[in-house]
PDB file of all heavy atoms in Angstrom:
ATOM      1  N   ARG H1302       9.990   3.570  12.697  1.00  0.00           N
ATOM      2  CA  ARG H1302       9.504   2.758  11.600  1.00  0.00           C
ATOM      3  C   ARG H1302       8.020   3.123  11.497  1.00  0.00           C
ATOM      4  O   ARG H1302       7.212   2.640  12.274  1.00  0.00           O
ATOM      5  CB  ARG H1302       9.702   1.248  11.875  1.00  0.00           C
ATOM      6  CG  ARG H1302       9.242   0.370  10.704  1.00  0.00           C
ATOM      7  CD  ARG H1302       9.651  -1.044  10.863  1.00  0.00           C
ATOM      8  NE  ARG H1302       8.943  -1.750  11.915  1.00  0.00           N
ATOM      9  CZ  ARG H1302       8.723  -3.074  11.926  1.00  0.00           C
ATOM     10  NH1 ARG H1302       9.107  -3.820  10.923  1.00  0.00           N
ATOM     11  NH2 ARG H1302       8.101  -3.615  12.970  1.00  0.00           N
ATOM     12  N   LEU H1303       7.675   3.919  10.496  1.00  0.00           N
ATOM     13  CA  LEU H1303       6.339   4.461  10.381  1.00  0.00           C
ATOM     14  C   LEU H1303       5.426   3.489   9.649  1.00  0.00           C
ATOM     15  O   LEU H1303       5.786   2.957   8.574  1.00  0.00           O
ATOM     16  CB  LEU H1303       6.398   5.793   9.642  1.00  0.00           C
ATOM     17  CG  LEU H1303       5.060   6.492   9.406  1.00  0.00           C
ATOM     18  CD1 LEU H1303       4.476   6.934  10.728  1.00  0.00           C
ATOM     19  CD2 LEU H1303       5.243   7.702   8.474  1.00  0.00           C
ATOM     20  N   ILE H1304       4.278   3.227  10.214  1.00  0.00           N
ATOM     21  CA  ILE H1304       3.293   2.285   9.633  1.00  0.00           C
ATOM     22  C   ILE H1304       2.023   3.066   9.257  1.00  0.00           C
ATOM     23  O   ILE H1304       1.346   3.595  10.136  1.00  0.00           O
ATOM     24  CB  ILE H1304       2.981   1.139  10.614  1.00  0.00           C
ATOM     25  CG1 ILE H1304       4.296   0.434  10.961  1.00  0.00           C
ATOM     26  CG2 ILE H1304       1.961   0.178   9.987  1.00  0.00           C
ATOM     27  CD1 ILE H1304       4.169  -0.480  12.193  1.00  0.00           C
ATOM     28  N   LEU H1305       1.745   3.133   7.994  1.00  0.00           N
ATOM     29  CA  LEU H1305       0.542   3.820   7.481  1.00  0.00           C
ATOM     30  C   LEU H1305      -0.475   2.725   7.036  1.00  0.00           C
ATOM     31  O   LEU H1305      -0.060   1.648   6.553  1.00  0.00           O
ATOM     32  CB  LEU H1305       0.861   4.671   6.264  1.00  0.00           C
ATOM     33  CG  LEU H1305       1.963   5.767   6.485  1.00  0.00           C
ATOM     34  CD1 LEU H1305       2.450   6.250   5.141  1.00  0.00           C
ATOM     35  CD2 LEU H1305       1.398   6.916   7.325  1.00  0.00           C
ATOM     36  N   PHE H1306      -1.761   3.021   7.124  1.00  0.00           N
ATOM     37  CA  PHE H1306      -2.719   2.040   6.652  1.00  0.00           C
ATOM     38  C   PHE H1306      -4.034   2.707   6.268  1.00  0.00           C
ATOM     39  O   PHE H1306      -4.321   3.814   6.717  1.00  0.00           O
ATOM     40  CB  PHE H1306      -2.964   0.934   7.667  1.00  0.00           C
ATOM     41  CG  PHE H1306      -3.746   1.359   8.918  1.00  0.00           C
ATOM     42  CD1 PHE H1306      -5.076   1.092   9.034  1.00  0.00           C
ATOM     43  CD2 PHE H1306      -3.077   2.026   9.935  1.00  0.00           C
ATOM     44  CE1 PHE H1306      -5.764   1.451  10.192  1.00  0.00           C
ATOM     45  CE2 PHE H1306      -3.744   2.407  11.066  1.00  0.00           C
ATOM     46  CZ  PHE H1306      -5.119   2.119  11.197  1.00  0.00           C
ATOM     47  N   ASP H1307      -4.799   2.049   5.418  1.00  0.00           N
ATOM     48  CA  ASP H1307      -6.192   2.437   5.099  1.00  0.00           C
ATOM     49  C   ASP H1307      -7.094   1.610   5.952  1.00  0.00           C
ATOM     50  O   ASP H1307      -7.007   0.351   5.962  1.00  0.00           O
ATOM     51  CB  ASP H1307      -6.479   2.206   3.611  1.00  0.00           C
ATOM     52  CG  ASP H1307      -5.829   3.198   2.708  1.00  0.00           C
ATOM     53  OD1 ASP H1307      -5.572   4.326   3.149  1.00  0.00           O
ATOM     54  OD2 ASP H1307      -5.583   2.860   1.529  1.00  0.00           O
ATOM     55  N   LYS H1308      -7.981   2.245   6.679  1.00  0.00           N
ATOM     56  CA  LYS H1308      -8.966   1.489   7.496  1.00  0.00           C
ATOM     57  C   LYS H1308      -9.822   0.594   6.608  1.00  0.00           C
ATOM     58  O   LYS H1308     -10.041   0.897   5.446  1.00  0.00           O
ATOM     59  CB  LYS H1308      -9.836   2.435   8.305  1.00  0.00           C
ATOM     60  CG  LYS H1308      -9.110   3.390   9.232  1.00  0.00           C
ATOM     61  CD  LYS H1308     -10.079   4.207  10.047  1.00  0.00           C
ATOM     62  CE  LYS H1308      -9.421   5.366  10.765  1.00  0.00           C
ATOM     63  NZ  LYS H1308      -9.064   6.473   9.835  1.00  0.00           N
ATOM     64  N   ARG H1309     -10.320  -0.478   7.180  1.00  0.00           N
ATOM     65  CA  ARG H1309     -11.199  -1.372   6.399  1.00  0.00           C
ATOM     66  C   ARG H1309     -12.373  -0.546   5.881  1.00  0.00           C
ATOM     67  O   ARG H1309     -12.871   0.338   6.538  1.00  0.00           O
ATOM     68  CB  ARG H1309     -11.695  -2.549   7.259  1.00  0.00           C
ATOM     69  CG  ARG H1309     -12.540  -2.140   8.447  1.00  0.00           C
ATOM     70  CD  ARG H1309     -13.224  -3.348   9.053  1.00  0.00           C
ATOM     71  NE  ARG H1309     -12.282  -4.375   9.548  1.00  0.00           N
ATOM     72  CZ  ARG H1309     -12.551  -5.634   9.688  1.00  0.00           C
ATOM     73  NH1 ARG H1309     -13.791  -6.068   9.439  1.00  0.00           N
ATOM     74  NH2 ARG H1309     -11.667  -6.482  10.116  1.00  0.00           N
ATOM     75  N   GLY H1310     -12.756  -0.865   4.611  1.00  0.00           N
ATOM     76  CA  GLY H1310     -13.870  -0.165   4.020  1.00  0.00           C
ATOM     77  C   GLY H1310     -13.495   1.018   3.193  1.00  0.00           C
ATOM     78  O   GLY H1310     -14.387   1.638   2.577  1.00  0.00           O
ATOM     79  N   MET H1311     -12.176   1.392   3.171  1.00  0.00           N
ATOM     80  CA  MET H1311     -11.816   2.567   2.420  1.00  0.00           C
ATOM     81  C   MET H1311     -10.446   2.380   1.783  1.00  0.00           C
ATOM     82  O   MET H1311      -9.681   1.490   2.169  1.00  0.00           O
ATOM     83  CB  MET H1311     -11.879   3.814   3.255  1.00  0.00           C
ATOM     84  CG  MET H1311     -10.786   3.920   4.317  1.00  0.00           C
ATOM     85  SD  MET H1311     -10.810   5.500   5.212  1.00  0.00           S
ATOM     86  CE  MET H1311     -12.397   5.401   5.967  1.00  0.00           C
TER      87      MET H1311
END
Side-chain angles (χ1 to χ4, degrees):
R1302 182 170 70 152
L1303 180 65
I1304 302 165
L1305 304 163
F1306 70 102
D1307 286 332
K1308 302 184 191 77
R1309 63 168 61 203
M1311 70 175 62

